[in-house]
């Protein structure tokens, strides 16, 4: 284990015993919170070495622990892990139901397209069916009336439409469920913490100067600039931000892909949702919890391709797709350091 994860693994059993009524994700969050209270990479390294010398640290002590929001995908399925469509705005039931209708249409069309295969494959299948039909015409004429009647009786079962498997968990708790208040207008980072497990991984390497820049290592005169407000600076990533790069490490939430139905989804009624960056496979400068909007008609295809690794959404700052206000909400939430408030 690397230095940060030694400290997290060492703290986890104590926090689990201290807060027995919580679950795996909250215990891990508390352990990560203690890690970020340290002041530097050097302090993290020193304390991890002290722990390794003083005691044997159990790797992955959370491996068999459960969490209240663990979701069961069942056996088989179209994707490795089903995505989570989570409702965070409860002001307009009609808009929510309309959105779900669009999702079901996208699921049906996507699944039928997957089962049908590509155009060339479909053409070959049609030609084979035609040949088989012509060769069997004479045999069919010899069938007696009883056999023909049997074929008619069995026809309805042979042409039954297969059930379309869903690739999403729909999270829409009733008003009486305490989870509903946690989801109301929830930030991306709060949702990641609810449905995925936190990890601390090395931050992506900083980009190098382009080849041929002979003056890249020389000091440059800095032009005078206007003072940038702290909030605006934070929106670009900030310095020592745990969601971007803190001491060379980064907080990420690998796991299920989250699709968020929010106030904008309900207000504009445009069938769009936020798709959230878990942070574990991004370029330097991207921020865990960034999001951009996508329409319901596209989320089935995106879920399938993102789950398989065939498609990767670039949440990097250069792409310009991430939503600034959602990034700032994430920073505000992790900045207070209070796990209990999440």
């Amino acid at each position: 284990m690397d230095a940060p994860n030694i400290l997290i693994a060492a703290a986890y059993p104590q926090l689990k015993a201290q807060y027995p009524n919580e679950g795996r994700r909250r215990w891990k969050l508390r352990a990560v919170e203690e890690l970020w209270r340290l002041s530097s990479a050097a302090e993290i390294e020193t304390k991890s070495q002290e722990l390794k010398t003083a005691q044997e640290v159990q790797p992955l002590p959370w491996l068999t622990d459960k969490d209240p929001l663990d979701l069961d995908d069942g056996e088989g399925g179209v994707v490795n892990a089903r995505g989570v469509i989570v409702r965070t705005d409860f002001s307009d039931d009609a808009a929510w139901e309309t959105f779900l209708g669009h999702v079901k249409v996208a699921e049906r069309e996507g699944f039928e397209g997957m089962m049908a295969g590509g155009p060339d494959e479909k053409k070959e299948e049609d030609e084979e069916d035609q040949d088989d039909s012509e060769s069997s015409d004479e045999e069919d004429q010899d069938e007696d009336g009883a056999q023909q009647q049997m074929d008619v009786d069995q026809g309805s079962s042979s042409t039954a439409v297969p059930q379309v498997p869903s690739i999403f968990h729909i999270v829409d708790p009733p008003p009486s469920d305490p989870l509903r208040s946690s989801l109301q207008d929830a930030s991306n980072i709060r949702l990641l913490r609810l449905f995925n497990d936190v990890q601390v991984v090395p931050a992506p390497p900083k980009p190098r100067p382009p080849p041929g820049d002979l003056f890249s290592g020389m000091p440059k005169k800095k032009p005078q600039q206007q003072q940038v407000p702290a909030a605006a600076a934070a929106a670009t990533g900030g310095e020592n931000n745990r969601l971007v790069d803190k001491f060379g490490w980064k907080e990420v939430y690998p796991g299920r892909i989250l699709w968020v139905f929010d106030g904008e989804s309900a207000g504009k009624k445009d069938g769009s949702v936020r798709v959230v960056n878990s942070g574990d496979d991004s370029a330097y400068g991207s921020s865990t919890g960034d999001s951009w909007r996508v329409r319901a008609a596209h989320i089935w295809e995106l879920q399938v391709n993102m789950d398989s690794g065939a498609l990767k959404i670039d949440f990097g700052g250069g792409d310009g797709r991430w939503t600034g206000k959602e990034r700032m909400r994430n920073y505000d939430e992790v900045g207070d350091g209070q796990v209990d408030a999440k």
Side-chain angles (χ1 to χ4, degrees):
M1 288 189 294
D2 49 44
N5 286 294
I6 289 173
L7 297 177
I8 295 169
Y12 180 87
Q14 304 168 22
L15 293 166
K16 177 181 175 180
Q18 186 175 352
Y19 301 96
N21 296 324
E22 296 182 346
R24 182 189 68 252
R25 294 193 178 101
R26 186 66 66 88
W27 295 327
K28 290 178 72 175
L29 277 172
R30 291 185 181 280
V32 169
E33 202 65 48
E34 291 194 359
L35 170 76
W36 293 133
R37 293 194 182 106
L38 302 180
S39 60
S40 66
E43 187 177 6
I44 291 175
E45 186 65 34
T46 299
K47 287 190 174 295
S48 68
Q49 290 297 329
E50 291 173 353
L51 275 173
K52 287 169 64 176
T53 303
Q55 67 185 74
E56 182 178 353
V57 179
Q58 177 190 355
L60 307 178
W62 46 79
L63 203 57
T64 59
D65 289 338
K66 304 296 184 183
D67 191 88
L69 289 179
D70 283 340
L71 300 173
D72 183 10
D73 286 355
E75 297 183 0
V78 177
V79 292
N80 298 311
R82 290 164 66 177
V84 179
I85 295 176
V86 54
R87 185 180 183 184
T88 66
D89 181 275
F90 302 93
S91 64
D92 192 333
D93 290 340
W96 169 246
E97 293 299 330
T98 299
F99 165 75
L100 290 182
H102 292 320
V103 172
K104 292 184 182 300
V105 170
E107 283 193 306
R108 185 182 71 249
E109 292 177 348
F111 181 70
E112 289 174 352
M114 177 182 292
M115 297 299 292
D120 293 338
E121 182 180 343
K122 183 74 164 60
K123 182 178 179 181
E124 291 176 2
E125 290 175 355
D126 291 343
E127 291 174 351
E128 291 175 0
D129 292 343
Q130 184 176 358
D131 292 340
D132 293 341
S133 177
E134 291 174 354
S135 64
S136 61
D137 282 345
E138 294 182 0
E139 296 177 4
D140 292 343
Q141 292 174 1
D142 293 337
E143 297 290 340
D144 57 24
Q147 181 64 46
Q148 291 176 5
Q149 183 62 44
M150 184 183 299
D151 291 340
V152 172
D153 294 340
Q154 294 177 348
S156 59
S157 61
S158 64
T159 58
V161 178
Q163 183 178 1
V164 177
S166 178
I167 60 172
F168 301 104
H169 290 283
I170 308 296
V171 180
D172 176 24
S176 58
D177 191 330
L179 176 61
R180 183 159 172 153
S181 61
S182 297
L183 298 182
Q184 177 71 50
D185 195 32
S187 67
N188 292 335
I189 197 66
R190 181 184 301 181
L191 296 172
L192 285 171
R193 290 176 165 186
L194 286 172
F195 295 103
N196 289 345
D197 284 49
V198 63
Q199 291 184 16
V200 174
V201 301
K206 294 182 179 181
R208 296 181 178 180
D213 185 356
L214 300 179
F215 302 98
S216 60
M218 297 179 62
K220 296 179 176 65
K221 183 178 179 180
K222 295 182 180 180
Q224 292 193 1
Q225 298 177 347
Q226 294 182 344
Q227 292 293 323
V228 179
T236 64
E239 185 178 359
N240 281 339
N241 189 303
R242 62 203 281 183
L243 301 182
V244 179
D245 182 354
K246 185 169 184 176
F247 312 142
W249 301 92
K250 182 179 182 179
E251 187 175 300
V252 300
Y253 294 81
R256 299 184 184 276
I257 302 170
L258 303 186
W259 311 85
V260 186
F261 181 92
D262 57 10
E264 188 170 341
S265 309
K268 292 186 176 180
K269 296 181 175 63
D270 60 357
S272 70
V273 290
R274 306 194 311 257
V275 55
V276 182
N277 176 24
S278 62
D280 58 322
D281 185 21
S282 302
Y284 187 85
S286 66
S287 181
T288 299
D290 277 349
S291 62
W292 63 286
R293 303 198 72 82
V294 59
R295 291 185 181 275
H298 303 300
I299 69 174
W300 187 92
E301 183 178 5
L302 287 172
Q303 173 71 38
V304 169
N305 286 289
M306 291 168 66
D307 174 83
S308 68
L311 175 68
K312 176 179 176 294
I313 295 179
D314 180 11
F315 287 93
D319 192 19
R321 290 182 175 178
W322 53 269
T323 306
K325 67 177 182 179
E326 295 300 337
R327 179 179 280 198
M328 291 305 302
R329 292 177 70 200
N330 294 335
Y331 290 175
D332 288 343
E333 192 145 336
V334 301
D336 59 26
Q338 296 298 314
V339 176
D340 287 326
K342 308 299 182 280

